[in-house]
Amino acid sequence: MTDNASFDPFSSLVHNWTTMALAPQKLWQSINGGWSFGNIIVNENNSSAPQTEQAIVAQESYGRQIGKLLDAVDTLARRQPDWSDTEPLKAAIDLKIRVDGVKLAMAQRRIDQLRGDLELLRAAGPADQYDASVAALRKLLAELPETGD
């Protein structure tokens, strides 16, 4: 039988609390020796130097690299008299045309967003901030070359 004088319910509670595991007993995490960009994973299995690739992409994105290559291929392909009859050259030129179309559409979306932002700033922002933004845009537009149209 338990002696009630020596029974301390608080110490029993503390003992149970301190033995309860709130965190894993063994902490480990696998180390990813590579890196990912969207759904592309670069590691030792598919690259001899994943750190080098990461450094390159930090300065020149894949999109920028591919865009420069498309520009070069387009220039070289159009110099070939039979480019429209050569399927790989025609496909590369068609790809560049589609990519350029996406770029133009995105530029138009950014301009539309800028218009909306200016309207918001004019309606709800400080007048001097709106005036300064419009003045900066006018200066930028004045510096652009004429299109000749």
Side-chain angles (χ1 to χ4, degrees), residues 9-118:
F10 182 72
S11 68
S12 175
L13 179 65
V14 170
H15 175 72
N16 289 338
W17 174 258
T18 58
T19 59
M20 185 171 41
L22 296 176
Q25 299 302 310
K26 294 180 182 178
L27 299 175
W28 64 275
Q29 178 180 356
S30 63
I31 305 230
N32 180 3
W35 57 278
S36 63
F37 177 76
N39 61 353
I40 299 169
I41 297 173
V42 179
N43 58 32
E44 292 84 16
N45 294 330
N46 59 13
S47 173
S48 61
Q51 296 85 1
T52 303
E53 288 191 40
Q54 185 177 21
I56 291 168
V57 170
Q59 290 190 358
E60 297 288 339
S61 71
Y62 279 127
R64 190 173 300 127
Q65 293 176 48
I66 291 170
K68 289 177 182 181
L69 291 172
L70 271 177
D71 290 345
V73 169
D74 180 70
T75 300
L76 294 172
R78 289 180 187 271
R79 290 182 180 171
Q80 304 303 313
D82 62 343
W83 71 264
S84 61
D85 298 327
T86 307
E87 192 53 40
L89 296 179
K90 186 173 180 327
I93 289 171
D94 289 345
L95 175 61
K96 179 167 179 359
I97 291 169
R98 289 192 309 273
V99 167
D100 287 347
V102 171
K103 288 178 181 180
L104 289 172
M106 294 305 294
Q108 186 62 54
R109 284 179 64 183
R110 287 190 304 274
I111 289 171
D112 292 343
Q113 178 67 46
L114 178 60
R115 284 185 182 128
D117 290 345
L118 284 171

